[in-house]
Amino acid sequence: MNDAVNAAWDDLRALAGGTSGTRTLSELFADPGRLEAFATRLDLPGGPILFDWSKTHLDTPLAAAFTRLADACGFAERRRALFAGEPVNLTEGRAAEHTAQRGVGNDATVEEAAALHERMHMLVEAIHQGALGEVRHLIHIGIGGSALGPALAIDALSRDGAVVDVHVVSNIDGCALEQAFAACDPATTLIAMASKTFTTIETLTNATSALAWLRENGVADPYGRVVALTAAPDRAVEWGIDETRVLPFQESVGGRYSLWSSIGFPVALALGWDEFAAMLDGAAAIDRHFLDTDGADNLCLRAAFADQYYTRLRGCQTRAVFAYDERLALFPSYLQQLEMESNGKRVTTAGQTVDGPTAAITWGGVGTDAQHAVFQLLHQGTVLVPVDFIAAIQPGDALDPAHHRILLSNCFAQGAALMAGKGSDDPARAYPGDRPSATILVDDLDAATLGALIAFHEHRTFANAVLLGINPFDQFGVELGKAIANQIEQGGVRFDPSTEALLAAAGIGD
Ligand code: F6P
């Protein structure tokens, strides 16, 4: 860390240990301008989204000190480099050009991404017009970033019906694939093989079994039913997929940032091209906000300030995200990969050990279910967990409006209760309060709003990485376990006594 960064952290520690950090949330609300300062409504293509960070401990002096930290960390320059398509992923010498998929970024990449999208659009239209016969089901096979985005988007946006019924299969556990087979008619099923590298063992194994299932069930040309979504088109062709059904995307799009590329094919196929395009538009509006707004007015940066405050200055090891919306049930899992794979690092971009915590553990669930399961700890446990609530003003259901009213009342009640707490003569019944939460309130959950929500979190993750001085775009931590699994498969290598005993008990290895 350079001197300016150290000095900025010293200022922040002093503020956190002094007047700023010691005022309770309720005391902070004595400032009549607090709500206006920390709850901001953005008008976006899918309708407004309210980003309410007023129930966090951020105050004006802290926000100003974090802005000085961001300056010392070269935030503006790193953001410029990101959007310019410069190799911000230093360890792999690569750019991170997911925003270009949405039309915001380096001109040449934006143009190339648009051409690749057009190719996907044409294939989607051709399939809709019957070029591959009747298509009623899609088994989307991929893992990590090649599965979580499509799974989230399909689950969130297809409740009112879809022209193709999508099943996302990621796990190598055959039970996952069998479950999809049971729900699909082989004669009208397409397989999407989604893999950036086209080398991932889970995806290749699952795809091989899916082809066998098609063949065993009377499909004469199983390969003719496969569409590949990949940044390694040559490997897909080599694997046997005709190049007319290979939808490439650019190498500079990271796996967990790839929903916007051809990895989003299931969204376009099942919900229509306009929905996919709307998702990109919603995300692009957040890109522009992130690119054009400075300091704590930049909502992604403001959220990162709060994240750093809790992780670094208050010692919080986790952050919880609760979607008060069944359609966003997969959002916490999506964020887990985005945040933990991006910022779960221990070295800086300069290769030095980071002198403090990096990413918090992201966890969460859906409200109101979680209230009856884990909220006890949030209200009365001994660890402080900052919470994000996400909810929509418009219901996703057509039932008695009481459902949605009660859902939202509960969401807002939890934030209020965490903050206010409640005294009692009986210690078991006392709530300490002063527990922080942020609330993201969307108007209506449509494709554009979902795109905006995801892009907001992408940039929040990037902003956190800049404040920590780390590279959010590599993931070397996942490689060692994969390599050892390969050694086990190949045999001939000895491991520790515990691992050897487990292998022997399962009858694996030699
Ligand atoms: O193992 C981690 C990872 O590389 C993720 O980053 C990625 O999203 C996932 O595996 C799948 O990789 P691929 O898309 O290349 O199959």
Side-chain angles (χ1 to χ4, degrees), residues 141-162:
I141 297 176
I143 197 162
S146 294
L148 289 162
L152 167 65
I154 292 292
D155 195 41
L157 304 175
S158 69
R159 306 271 168 148
D160 295 332

Side-chain angles (χ1 to χ4, degrees), residues 168-255:
V168 177
V169 176
S170 50
N171 202 344
I172 186 69
D173 183 340
C175 295
L177 197 53
E178 278 183 350
Q179 194 177 337
F181 293 161
C184 297
D185 162 19
T188 58
T189 297
L190 279 191
I191 308 292
M193 266 181 91
S195 177
K196 179 177 175 184
T197 56
F198 229 79
T199 59
T200 304
I201 186 78
E202 290 92 335
T203 301
L204 299 181
T205 308
N206 277 331
T208 304
S209 295
L211 286 174
W213 171 74
L214 290 177
R215 194 176 299 110
E216 284 155 16
N217 286 283
V219 175
D221 174 21
Y223 281 91
R225 311 293 292 165
V226 182
V227 177
L229 321 171
T230 184
D234 293 349
R235 285 198 196 116
V237 171
E238 216 172 284
W239 206 80
I241 302 165
D242 190 88
E243 69 176 329
T244 55
R245 276 173 285 100
V246 176
L247 296 175
F249 64 92
Q250 290 141 312
E251 184 61 43
S252 58
V253 178

Side-chain angles (χ1 to χ4, degrees), residues 275-326:
E275 288 289 280
F276 180 70
M279 205 171 67
L280 301 184
D281 279 354
I286 292 286
D287 292 336
R288 287 189 288 272
H289 167 78
F290 183 64
L291 191 53
D292 297 340
T293 316
D294 289 321
D297 290 339
N298 181 320
L299 298 176
C300 314
L301 197 51
R302 180 189 294 173
F305 290 167
D307 295 340
Q308 291 302 312
Y309 172 78
Y310 289 113
T311 311
R312 290 223 140 191
L313 301 175
R314 297 287 293 268
C316 299
Q317 294 195 343
T318 82
R319 187 179 112 250
V321 181
F322 296 101
Y324 272 68
D325 197 306
E326 198 64 24

Side-chain angles (χ1 to χ4, degrees), residues 18 26 134 142 146 157 171 182 200 204 214 249-250 272 327 345 376 379 401 428 438 457-459 463 466 482 496:
S26 301
E134 192 188 358
S146 294
L157 304 175
N171 202 344
T200 304
L204 299 181
L214 290 177
F249 64 92
Q250 290 141 312
R327 295 167 295 178
K345 308 285 168 62
Q376 165 64 38
H379 288 286
H457 285 89
E458 287 177 349
H459 292 314
V466 173
K482 282 189 205 172
D496 61 87

Side-chain angles (χ1 to χ4, degrees), residues 1 5 9 66-73 75 78 300-309 312 460-470:
M1 275 203 269
V5 174
W9 276 115
F66 268 116
T67 303
R68 288 194 292 278
L69 172 69
D71 290 344
C73 292
F75 173 75
R78 279 192 69 183
C300 314
L301 197 51
R302 180 189 294 173
F305 290 167
D307 295 340
Q308 291 302 312
Y309 172 78
R312 290 223 140 191
R460 175 185 188 168
T461 304
F462 173 75
N464 270 300
V466 173
L467 298 179
L468 290 165
I470 63 177

